[in-house]
Amino acid sequence: MKLSYYPGCSLEGTALDYDHSVRAVCLELGINLVEIPDWNCCGASSAHMTDHEVGMRLPMRNLLLAMDAGLDILVPCAACFQRLRAADKALRADPGYWDLRKYTPDFQIIHISTLLARPEILEAIRQRVQQPLTGLSLACYYGCLSLRNPRITGAPNWEMPENLEKIVSATGATPVAWSHRTECCSGSLTLARPDIAHKLVGDIIEAAKKAGAGALVTDCPMCQANVESRQMERIPGEPLLPVFFATELLAAAFRGEYPVKQQKVHLVAPAILTDFFAQSGPAREEAV
Amino acid sequence: MNPEYVSPENGNEKFLQKLDTMGIDVHACFQCGRCSSGCPVAEYFDLQVMEVVRLASYGMEDILLASKTIWLCAACETCATRCPNEIEIAGLMDVLRSLALKKGVVPAEPRVPLFHRSFLDSVRHWGRTYEIGMIAGYKIRSGDLLSDMKLGMDMFIKGKLKLLPQAIKAKDEVRQIFSGKGKEYER
Ligand code: SF4
Ligand code: SF4
């Protein structure tokens, strides 16, 4: 399978390791990624929240660049995914308004978990897992933008999504049932109003703990950064929950190893995974 | 809010036309309250989401532009997703913020638009987000130099913040997008 790839700015910065795990997992699964040449920022929340024209034209430029390849576009960031979908919808509805004579590419814009949760890919995942993550209880956390608004995202189960649970199950870990899977963490406000982010993240972490989860799993780099960083102000001594990317778990399960370099990028110590692999040493040796 | 002023009779027609052209049908609202009840930041708002929609349908632009709510909305799309009348409420919030900026209304939550501006400055300049530059720009503008210093250092040490920007080649194309010459401005 060959796909166009739109990493987005987070995956060059705070979520650089997400880019690495997406690429590693796709390589392992035989998915060939072709990065969109000279892609630009999608504008994220800030653009569409304050300037409709800029918020549309930034992602549109990327879509026009992707038209040459004509391949489906894989997007690991939930925010970029939503902005590219919004731009694609607007262009299809009225290309003339956006100064195009026509716009009818037959590509789809696909968020990473939608790809990974396809039945045939789940099967390939199961076959490639060297070290099943048996016994780990994980809370799948979707946040907002890969799901909402469904008129933009096309998500079929926006209130009760299941892609992350399917992916987590394929690694052998156990997804817990919990309340805050699609709650907002207020990532777009986190710098300007850290107090609000602190409150919402606190609620999310408490809910995950109550359900017995030892960590969160997400597919949104904004959520990953915000939910880990806004736990830092929690009461000392309170157990903190690390937030893993789904592809980070897959990469570790495929390799039978959780590399030290990857452990170090977390603001919240990923002890649950480090310890798991430390205890399952023999399987790791088999895998080498 | 002066109750005598709040009336469709005092509504701003141009504002209502703008919502109409953007397909934001605020008149479809029957005040069921679903939008307000699911909003994650409702407790920080000075106007609840259902109030925003009703005030918008009255054309009460000035009240809305002066509110905290438009800046504290996190654009999570929960309201628009759950509205039984599929009113594009999050899109309405976008329109209100951009009108407030265009009209120079003093923002009731000044740090939020300063953040957006710092973010977009970085995109306009490099074509991609340059996180350190963006955060520094925001800190200087907002005067909020102290909060999150430790977090910033932790992220830097962990290699999460790149020292140098990742510029794109066609920077001129991105500047053109920001040039203010688009259709939205002509209308
Ligand atoms: S959910 Fe829709 S119909 Fe109900 S109060 Fe909100 S805007 Fe009005
Ligand atoms: S989009 Fe804004 S107003 Fe609507 S639910 Fe989210 S935060 Fe509240």
Side-chain angles (χ1 to χ4, degrees):
Chain A
M1 193 192 312
K2 200 169 163 186
L3 298 172
S4 278
Y5 181 53
Y6 181 81
C9 302
S10 286
L11 278 78
E12 287 194 329
T14 45
L16 185 63
D17 65 302
Y18 189 25
D19 180 66
H20 295 163
S21 66
V22 168
R23 289 179 193 266
V25 165
C26 285
L27 185 70
E28 182 71 34
L29 294 170
I31 299 164
N32 187 356
L33 299 181
V34 188
E35 190 166 328
I36 296 174
D38 208 37
W39 57 268
N40 58 271
C41 173
C42 72
S45 297
S46 288
H48 79 84
M49 285 173 88
T50 56
D51 189 324
H52 184 250
E53 179 93 16
V54 171
M56 280 299 181
R57 295 221 184 240
L58 284 172
M60 279 174 183
R61 177 176 176 274
N62 296 310
L63 295 174
L64 300 181
L65 290 172
M67 271 168 69
D68 289 339
L71 302 165
D72 287 351
I73 307 170
L74 179 67
V75 191
C77 170
C80 300
F81 166 75
Q82 195 227 37
R83 293 332 302 158
L84 291 172
R85 294 276 304 202
D88 185 64
K89 190 176 172 192
L91 276 175
R92 285 183 200 274
D94 190 0
Y97 182 87
W98 301 102
D99 313 313
L100 288 184
R101 224 170 306 138
K102 74 185 223 296
Y103 176 85
T104 51
D106 59 7
F107 57 52
Q108 298 263 349
I109 299 157
I110 307 168
H111 186 236
I112 182 91
S113 298
T114 303
L115 173 75
L116 296 175
R118 286 182 187 165
E120 69 278 13
I121 306 251
L122 286 174
E123 190 44 45
I125 289 172
R126 281 185 216 104
Q127 282 168 14
R128 280 168 180 77
V129 168
Q130 301 277 353
Q131 173 62 62
L133 307 180
T134 316
L136 293 185
S137 291
L138 305 172
C140 295
Y141 177 59
Y142 296 80
C144 307
L145 300 178
S146 65
L147 303 170
R148 291 189 295 267
N149 170 328
R151 298 189 283 282
I152 298 291
T153 63
N157 303 311
W158 60 90
E159 298 284 4
M160 294 293 277
E162 21 188 49
N163 286 344
L164 282 173
E165 276 81 358
K166 286 182 182 165
I167 297 164
V168 163
S169 299
T171 68
T174 308
V176 301
W178 69 303
S179 52
H180 280 50
R181 298 189 305 148
T182 67
E183 287 294 314
C184 176
C185 72
S186 76
S188 65
L189 287 174
T190 189
L191 273 182
R193 286 297 300 263
D195 57 321
I196 297 181
H198 182 231
K199 159 77 168 54
L200 299 193
V201 166
D203 291 348
I204 290 163
I205 292 299
E206 286 308 317
K209 273 193 214 155
K210 210 181 276 175
L216 269 62
V217 181
T218 192
D219 50 16
C220 171
M222 310 293 155
C223 297
Q224 199 280 337
N226 192 40
V227 175
E228 277 206 352
S229 64
R230 292 298 168 210
Q231 287 182 67
M232 294 295 136
E233 298 110 357
R234 289 171 68 74
I235 313 155
E238 283 261 292
L240 308 179
L241 298 187
V243 186
F244 299 114
F245 287 114
T247 47
E248 177 181 1
L249 288 184
L250 288 176
F254 288 173
R255 289 176 63 151
E257 179 190 20
Y258 188 48
V260 177
K261 197 170 152 233
Q262 180 59 36
Q263 297 168 24
K264 284 191 175 154
V265 302
H266 285 274
L267 290 167
V268 174
I272 179 173
L273 210 54
T274 312
D275 295 352
F276 178 85
F277 280 98
Q279 281 158 18
S280 57
R284 184 172 65 208
E285 266 135 69
E286 279 164 36
V288 171
Chain B
M1 223 189 300
N2 174 2
E4 268 155 45
Y5 173 72
V6 178
S7 153
E9 279 164 30
N10 298 320
N12 180 329
E13 273 307 317
K14 247 179 113 182
F15 170 69
L16 287 168
Q17 273 163 23
K18 180 162 181 90
L19 296 184
D20 196 42
T21 53
M22 298 198 72
I24 302 171
D25 186 10
V26 284
H27 303 295
C29 172
F30 47 42
Q31 293 285 290
C32 68
R34 253 184 126 181
C35 51
S36 302
S37 63
C39 174
V41 275
E43 66 186 278
Y44 301 90
F45 283 178
D46 52 0
L47 291 175
Q48 291 307 311
V49 195
M50 63 192 288
E51 294 179 292
V52 169
V53 178
R54 180 49 50 99
L55 286 167
S57 73
Y58 285 5
M60 298 281 101
E61 180 189 287
D62 39 2
I63 295 175
L64 292 167
L65 300 195
S67 72
K68 285 182 195 245
T69 294
I70 60 171
W71 299 111
L72 295 180
C73 159
C76 75
E77 293 269 359
T78 307
C79 52
T81 298
R82 294 183 182 162
C83 172
N85 295 313
E86 301 196 348
I87 301 171
E88 296 295 349
I89 310 166
L92 168 64
M93 296 287 183
D94 287 353
V95 171
L96 293 169
R97 280 182 288 260
S98 54
L99 277 175
L101 289 178
K102 212 186 295 177
K103 297 195 166 181
V105 176
V106 179
E109 281 286 332
R111 283 186 179 175
V112 179
L114 289 179
F115 166 76
H116 292 315
R117 204 171 110 202
S118 308
F119 181 93
L120 292 174
D121 272 1
S122 145
V123 177
R124 181 170 43 129
H125 206 81
W126 306 106
R128 292 187 190 165
T129 321
Y130 170 39
E131 286 157 334
I132 288 190
M134 182 264 287
I135 293 167
Y138 167 71
K139 291 274 165 199
I140 291 163
R141 282 198 181 110
S142 64
D144 173 23
L145 296 174
L146 291 177
S147 73
D148 289 336
M149 277 311 260
K150 181 172 178 306
L151 177 62
M153 282 314 292
D154 287 351
M155 295 188 84
F156 184 69
I157 291 163
K158 298 214 164 262
K160 287 185 170 285
L161 297 174
K162 277 203 181 148
L163 265 183
L164 296 174
Q166 309 280 313
I168 69 164
K169 289 198 203 88
K171 280 196 246 165
D172 51 322
E173 290 177 26
V174 168
R175 301 238 167 110
Q176 182 63 29
I177 291 174
F178 280 95
S179 67
K181 289 192 201 120
K183 287 227 172 49
E184 294 283 310
Y185 311 104
E186 286 155 21
R187 275 200 266 159

